């Protein structure tokens, strides 16, 4: 991470922002989850934990380490980060299993709804001289039957060249590298942005402590986040990665799929790189 003259990004600050963001847009009321499902799922989850404790003869020292770590996850506001890095991929796999169109993957903790609405050919909001290789991301949105989807929207958000997300790290303009692009009358879009850097999850909080204690690494490959939707079609939440990029093969969040890897090429008569990617949406 480069140095900055502004406030440092901290686990507790980004955790608090992610917790707040999540609370403001729960997909469901937890009280509405069926009693039988809660009974089954929690009973099986606990039974799996009991089994692990017995098989590995977990000690009181280890139990206390777990207990104090769980308390710290809450204090640091890192439940969204922990859950989205280590559990969400399995939930997404189940949710996306019967979809025919483009692959989805996890949303992660840093989505913010209602980003600035932009025409089909646009640059994402960014600072003057925003750091990083220019990237032209273009394509079409169509239905599984091949029909173009005019007026589809492509919400895009990603980290900057330092791996920081606006609204979760200090010192960035509010909507930096976030926008909602409205496709043209043929479902087309041409979005100018900069290529994001690999993302290191905060190392100074509870999740960082776990990664250290387990001898893991803390990295996600560079990625673009997207939510693509159109009337009468299912919204897809996805991410796109870059061929040959660091950690494409060992994403800590287990969210890379082969279909989601882009191979941008140098722009023929200009700066930066360009890539075409089409989105295919299932009918609602
Ligand atoms: C991210 O940027 C991200 O996409 C996920 C899934 C987890 C942590 C940070
Ligand atoms: Fe991300």
């Amino acid at each position: 991470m480069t140095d900055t003259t502004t406030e440092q990004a901290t686990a507790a600050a980004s955790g608090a922002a992610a917790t707040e963001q999540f609370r403001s847009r729960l997909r469901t009321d937890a009280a509405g989850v069926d009693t039988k499902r809660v009974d089954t799922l929690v009973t099986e989850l606990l039974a799996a934990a009991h089994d692990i404790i017995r098989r590995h003869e977990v000690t009181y020292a280890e139990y206390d380490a777990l207990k104090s770590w769980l308390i710290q996850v809450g204090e640091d506001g890192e439940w969204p980060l922990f859950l989205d890095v280590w559990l969400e991929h399995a939930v997404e796999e189940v949710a996306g299993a019967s979809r025919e169109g483009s692959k989805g993957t996890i949303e992660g903790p840093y989505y913010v709804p209602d980003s600035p609405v932009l025409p089909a050919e646009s640059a994402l909001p960014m600072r003057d001289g925003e750091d990083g290789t220019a990237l032209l991301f273009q394509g079409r949105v169509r239905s599984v039957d091949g029909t173009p989807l005019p007026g589809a929207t492509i919400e895009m958000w990603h980290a900057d060249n330092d791996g920081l997300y606006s609204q979760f790290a200090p010192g960035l303009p509010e909507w930096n590298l976030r926008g909602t692009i409205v496709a043209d009358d043929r479902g087309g879009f041409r979005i100018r942005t900069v290529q994001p850097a690999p993302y290191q999850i905060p190392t100074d909080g509870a999740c960082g402590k776990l990664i250290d204690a387990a001898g893991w690494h803390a990295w996600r490959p560079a990625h673009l986040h997207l939510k693509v939707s159109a009337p009468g079609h299912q919204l897809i939440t996805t991410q796109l990665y870059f061929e040959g990029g660091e950690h494409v093969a060992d994403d800590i969040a287990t969210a890379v799929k082969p279909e989601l890897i882009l191979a941008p090429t140098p722009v023929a008569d200009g700066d930066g790189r360009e890539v075409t990617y089409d989105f295919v949406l299932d009918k609602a």
Side-chain angles (χ1 to χ4, degrees), residues 33 57 61 91 195:
V33 179
E57 300 183 338
V91 178
Q195 216 176 286

Side-chain angles (χ1 to χ4, degrees), residues 2-8 162 164:
T2 58
D3 66 325
T4 112
T5 48
T6 53
E7 224 181 310
Q8 281 291 257
D162 293 326
L164 300 175

Side-chain angles (χ1 to χ4, degrees), residues 101-184:
S102 301
K103 293 284 180 200
T105 190
I106 65 176
E107 176 176 309
Y110 302 140
Y111 170 63
V112 183
D114 304 319
S115 59
V117 176
L118 304 166
E121 178 153 6
S122 294
L124 289 188
M126 64 179 84
R127 294 162 286 187
D128 283 344
E130 183 76 39
D131 235 10
T133 307
L135 178 70
L136 171 61
F137 176 71
Q138 59 189 342
R140 293 264 200 105
V141 185
R142 54 189 161 78
S143 181
V144 278
D145 64 12
T147 320
L149 295 172
T153 60
I154 299 116
E155 287 179 86
M156 190 161 161
W157 72 101
H158 66 84
D160 69 9
N161 196 45
D162 293 326
L164 300 175
Y165 282 90
S166 60
Q167 302 190 39
F168 296 88
L172 295 166
E174 188 178 21
W175 294 105
N176 208 57
L177 303 176
R178 296 176 181 273
T180 300
I181 292 84
V182 181
D184 64 24

Side-chain angles (χ1 to χ4, degrees), residues 2 6 13 64 87-88 93 107 154 171 188 191 193 218 256 261 263 269:
T2 58
T6 53
D64 283 355
L87 281 189
E88 190 188 352
E93 183 185 313
E107 176 176 309
I154 299 116
I191 305 167
T193 186
V256 178
I261 302 174
D269 49 358

Side-chain angles (χ1 to χ4, degrees), residues 63-75 79 82 206:
Y63 177 67
D64 283 355
L66 170 66
K67 204 162 159 180
S68 75
W69 180 79
L70 289 169
I71 291 165
Q72 197 196 334
V73 177
E75 285 169 352
W79 281 114
F82 172 76

Side-chain angles (χ1 to χ4, degrees), residues 184-200:
D184 64 24
D185 55 9
R186 295 176 350 201
F189 58 85
R190 273 167 81 81
I191 305 167
R192 286 170 202 283
T193 186
V194 293
Q195 216 176 286
Y199 177 86
Q200 184 180 34

Side-chain angles (χ1 to χ4, degrees), residues 81-89 201 207 210-211 216 252:
L81 181 66
F82 172 76
L83 291 165
D84 295 350
V85 167
W86 285 292
L87 281 189
E88 190 188 352
H89 68 88
I201 74 166
C207 290
L210 168 63
I211 286 164
W216 301 337
I252 186 147

